């Protein structure tokens, strides 16, 4: 295992090193990883800036082939899943699937590039004879915003990290990337970073298209966000971390956007008829979603809302029985495990909160013991602490007095990534009445499923109002993620000889266009 970090085509080392920890044993793994300096950050950003103009103007086919080559190189990397297992405590099947998702989203963006819609070409042809004033020839396309800083996430060491959705969408847009690998999985980061670098070399691209900096210090992230050559930031992590980066970005002489996916409890609404008809099955499925991956999903169902009564009591009993049998799983880091225990302890000590069940106690390091709580709608409304995310397999059932109180509880909650409706046909009118509230609160609304699991597709939205994300207009999953790293440019009366190919009169790239208000292609 190579402990160097990557500045363009160079592998760099320093005397200052750190090691990854195996969360299953709390033992340090065997490789010393070099810690980058703020000087290395500046060098990486300088290279990214130097690569920007050539990379952003690559024809779509060339950039698509590059993304596909990155996917091929990741799949060909020996020992990647095994290293990710050692650094994250996640099982082989989960990480094998995550590797497939990582490569799949790279290939999906390659397909998007070939389709051409992402450039959003709009042409308003000149109208020299228009009265009382002529109209100029106006042509619009979207171009890359500039070099992008990406922060690797702890809970998805592949799909939300070095070559994850933020990096894939930024590269697809034509933005070079400087990635700060997550300090919990530096070996995984290096292996993926080397795969990207191999693809850059094979495709003959500028070395500054990608760099990887490493280290546990927050100073590196600060230097990266504050570097004037960085024009946007992609981040998945805690609310505190996201807010800190946003503050840094807004304090720059040139403020830049931070696209941060942060905190959500993803309410599940149990409508009365569904609860009556299949409450037992819902209780078991709920616990399965809650405890999946030790509850370390952005879309974990942390709050359940239902109408108080025998049907909700039966659901809660089934869920409590199932959760009591849930085996503790290794959490990602000792710090995440400690914060989870603190969050559970805080809920346990809250007035008007009942502990319904705890999962089985485990032996070994950093095992998260699942927890299930209950409270009334009135108490939930009176105590904002009950709506805070506990990152892990902990959730609270809120027993509302009636549908009006349920709607009030949902209305007063913060922004969410998801809201789930468990409903039957007889619940349709009630669900329709709640839908406008859900639309205000979440980026994805689903029926009769569970929020854990995010499809990488054209229609997917993995975002939502604050604090789910820092910008509710965006998504970090799906093809629309590319829009974060593009901006419109209008060309007025430029000679065809100097117009970019995307907006030339003859449409040499064959892109879909909107011409004088009519969609073509």
């Amino acid at each position: 295992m190579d402990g160097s970090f990557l500045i363009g085509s160079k592998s760099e080392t320093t005397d200052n090193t750190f090691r990854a920890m195996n969360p299953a044993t709390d033992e340090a793994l065997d490789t010393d990883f070099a810690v980058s300096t703020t000087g290395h950050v500046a060098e990486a950003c300088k290279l990214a800036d130097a690569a920007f103009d050539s990379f952003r103007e690559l024809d779509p086919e060339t950039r698509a082939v590059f993304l596909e080559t990155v996917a091929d190189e990741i799949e060909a990397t020996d020992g990647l899943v095994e290293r990710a297992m050692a650094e994250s405590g996640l099982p082989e099947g989960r990480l094998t699937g995550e590797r497939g998702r990582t490569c799949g989203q790279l290939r999906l963006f390659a397909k998007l590039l070939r389709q051409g819609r992402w450039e959003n070409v709009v042409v308003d042809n000149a109208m020299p004879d228009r009265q009382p004033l002529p109209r100029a020839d106006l042509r619009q396309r979207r171009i890359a915003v500039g070099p992008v800083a990406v922060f690797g996430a702890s809970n998805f060491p592949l799909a939300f990290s070095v070559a994850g959705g933020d990096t894939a969408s930024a590269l697809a847009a034509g933005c070079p990337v400087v990635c700060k690998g997550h300090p919990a999985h530096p070996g995984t980061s290096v292996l993926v970073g080397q795969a990207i670098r191999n693809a850059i070399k094979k495709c003959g691209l500028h070395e500054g298209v990608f760099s990887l900096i490493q280290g546990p210090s927050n100073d590196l992230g600060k230097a990266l966000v504050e570097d004037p050559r960085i024009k946007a930031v992609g981040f998945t992590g805690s609310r505190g971390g996201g807010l800190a980066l946003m503050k840094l970005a807004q304090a720059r002489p040139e403020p830049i956007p931070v696209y941060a996916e942060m905190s959500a409890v993803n309410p599940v609404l149990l409508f009365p008829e569904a609860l009556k008809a299949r409450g037992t099955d819902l209780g078991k499925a709920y616990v399965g979603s809650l405890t999946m991956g030790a509850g370390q999903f952005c879309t974990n169902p942390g709050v359940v809302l239902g109408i108080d009564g025998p049907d909700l009591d039966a659901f809660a009993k089934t869920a409590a029985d199932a959760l009591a049998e849930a085996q503790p799983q290794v959490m990602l880091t000792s710090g995440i495990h400690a914060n989870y225990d603190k969050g559970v302890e805080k809920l346990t000590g809250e007035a008007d909160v009942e502990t319904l069940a705890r999962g089985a106690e485990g032996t070994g390091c950093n095992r998260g013991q699942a927890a299930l709580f209950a409270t009334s709608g009135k108490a939930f409304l009176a105590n904002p602490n009950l709506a805070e995310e506990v990152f892990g397999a902990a959730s609270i059932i809120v027993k509302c007095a009636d549908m009006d109180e349920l709607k009030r509880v949902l209305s007063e909650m913060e922004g969410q990534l998801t809201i789930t409706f468990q409903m039957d046909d007889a619940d349709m009118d009630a669900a329709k009445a709640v839908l406008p509230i859900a639309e205000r609160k979440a980026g994805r609304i689903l029926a009769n499923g569970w929020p854990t699991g995010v499809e990488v597709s054209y229609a997917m939205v993995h975002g939502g109002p604050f604090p789910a994300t820092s910008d509710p207009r965006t998504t970090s999953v799906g093809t629309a993620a590319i829009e974060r790293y593009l901006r419109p440019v209008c060309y007025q009366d430029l000679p065809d000889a100097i117009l970019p190919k995307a907006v030339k009169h003859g449409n040499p790239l064959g892109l879909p266009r909107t011409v004088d208000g009519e969609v073509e292609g």
Side-chain angles (χ1 to χ4, degrees):
M1 171 64 63
D2 185 353
S4 58
F5 51 89
L6 312 176
I7 305 298
S9 61
K10 296 182 296 183
S11 297
E12 298 278 7
T13 61
T14 61
D15 293 334
N16 186 15
T17 62
F18 71 109
R19 288 191 173 190
M21 302 294 291
N22 184 333
T25 63
D26 260 351
E27 295 176 345
L29 298 173
D30 58 2
T31 302
D32 291 319
F33 290 93
V35 176
S36 308
T37 67
T38 55
H40 290 117
V41 172
E43 184 180 356
C45 294
K46 181 179 179 180
L47 280 173
D49 190 60
F52 175 52
D53 282 326
S54 62
F55 184 58
R56 73 182 177 90
E57 287 302 337
L58 288 177
D59 64 88
E61 176 63 24
T62 300
R63 200 149 70 236
V65 169
F66 166 58
L67 294 178
E68 291 169 337
T69 305
V70 173
D72 293 342
E73 290 292 321
I74 291 173
E75 289 174 339
T77 299
D78 293 333
L80 177 59
V81 169
E82 291 77 12
R83 184 68 192 192
M85 289 169 62
E87 292 182 336
S88 68
L90 296 172
E92 181 178 4
R94 152 73 190 273
L95 287 166
T96 299
E98 192 179 325
R99 180 181 60 187
R101 171 178 167 172
T102 303
C103 296
Q105 60 195 7
L106 286 160
R107 293 181 174 122
L108 180 63
F109 279 112
K111 182 178 180 180
L112 179 73
L113 289 177
R114 292 187 174 105
Q115 292 168 335
R117 295 195 302 269
W118 61 279
E119 274 198 274
N120 196 32
V121 176
V122 180
V123 175
D124 294 329
N125 284 303
M127 299 174 65
D129 298 327
R130 190 183 67 175
Q131 296 296 326
L133 294 172
R135 183 176 77 185
D137 182 85
L138 302 170
R139 293 165 184 269
Q140 182 193 117
R141 67 165 178 159
R142 294 190 295 180
I143 69 168
V145 297
V148 170
V150 170
F151 287 77
S154 64
N155 58 338
F156 283 86
L158 297 173
F160 274 90
S161 289
V162 174
D166 286 332
T167 296
S169 54
L171 293 175
C175 299
V177 168
V178 180
C179 180
K180 183 183 184 299
H182 196 282
H185 35 76
T188 305
S189 299
V190 167
L191 290 173
V192 175
Q194 290 172 338
I196 299 174
R197 186 169 67 178
N198 292 343
I200 289 171
K201 184 176 180 180
K202 285 186 176 182
C203 294
L205 305 183
H206 192 292
E207 64 171 323
V209 166
F210 176 81
S211 291
L212 171 69
I213 60 172
Q214 296 254 60
S217 170
N218 290 335
D219 290 342
L220 291 175
K222 180 176 184 291
L224 182 56
V225 172
E226 290 180 337
D227 192 286
R229 289 158 291 207
I230 294 296
K231 301 303 179 185
V233 177
F235 171 84
T236 297
S238 68
R239 186 191 303 207
L243 290 176
L245 295 181
M246 291 167 62
K247 185 176 181 179
L248 289 172
Q250 290 304 305
R252 290 174 28 144
E254 176 200 2
I256 58 172
V258 174
Y259 299 109
E261 190 254 285
M262 297 177 288
S263 175
V265 294
N266 308 296
V268 176
L269 278 56
L270 304 175
F271 285 91
E273 296 304 319
L275 192 58
K276 182 186 299 183
R278 47 194 173 92
T280 298
D281 290 340
L282 288 174
K284 293 176 181 177
Y286 159 53
V287 171
S289 178
L290 173 65
T291 59
M292 183 187 299
Q296 299 167 124
F297 284 82
C298 314
T299 51
N300 204 44
V303 172
V304 173
L305 307 180
I307 306 302
D308 195 11
D311 294 330
L312 185 58
D313 289 341
F315 165 87
K317 183 180 186 307
T318 301
D321 290 345
L323 186 130
E325 298 178 0
Q327 295 303 306
Q329 301 173 53
V330 177
M331 301 195 76
L332 292 159
T333 69
S334 59
I336 287 173
H337 178 245
N339 285 334
Y340 171 72
D341 281 349
K342 289 178 183 176
V344 170
E345 183 180 357
K346 183 177 179 181
L347 281 174
T348 303
E350 291 284 359
D352 301 318
V353 173
E354 177 188 2
T355 300
L356 296 181
R358 294 300 307 271
E361 292 188 21
T363 57
C365 301
N366 302 315
R367 266 67 174 178
Q369 185 183 8
L372 181 62
F373 302 93
T375 191
S376 68
K378 180 180 179 181
F380 192 85
L381 287 166
N383 187 351
N385 293 334
L386 303 185
E388 293 179 359
E389 180 184 24
V390 177
F391 187 66
S395 186
I396 186 166
I397 298 171
V398 181
K399 300 181 177 183
C400 301
D402 50 32
M403 188 58 67
D404 286 340
E405 185 172 77
L406 185 149
K407 288 192 287 186
R408 184 183 168 200
V409 168
L410 188 64
S411 295
E412 295 195 14
M413 293 184 73
E414 296 181 314
Q416 306 293 333
L417 292 169
T418 70
I419 293 175
T420 300
F421 289 5
Q422 293 292 347
M423 54 181 289
D424 284 354
D425 288 345
D427 294 310
M428 205 68 68
D429 288 343
K432 187 176 181 180
V434 174
L435 183 59
I437 303 171
E439 288 175 326
R440 288 189 179 207
K441 292 294 179 179
R444 176 164 60 110
I445 303 163
L446 55 154
N448 297 330
W450 297 96
T452 41
V454 181
E455 182 72 24
V456 180
S457 68
Y458 290 90
M460 178 51 63
V461 172
H462 189 62
F466 182 86
T469 54
S470 55
D471 187 337
R473 299 168 297 178
T474 64
T475 177
S476 60
V477 177
T479 56
I482 196 174
E483 296 174 7
R484 299 173 297 172
Y485 305 122
L486 296 168
R487 66 177 181 87
V489 176
C490 179
Y491 305 87
Q492 180 170 329
D493 284 337
L494 264 67
D496 195 61
I498 66 170
L499 280 173
K501 286 184 179 179
V503 290
K504 280 185 176 293
H505 289 260
N507 194 9
L509 296 180
L511 296 174
R513 295 181 169 194
T514 299
V515 179
D516 294 331
E518 300 295 329
V519 177
E520 297 182 355

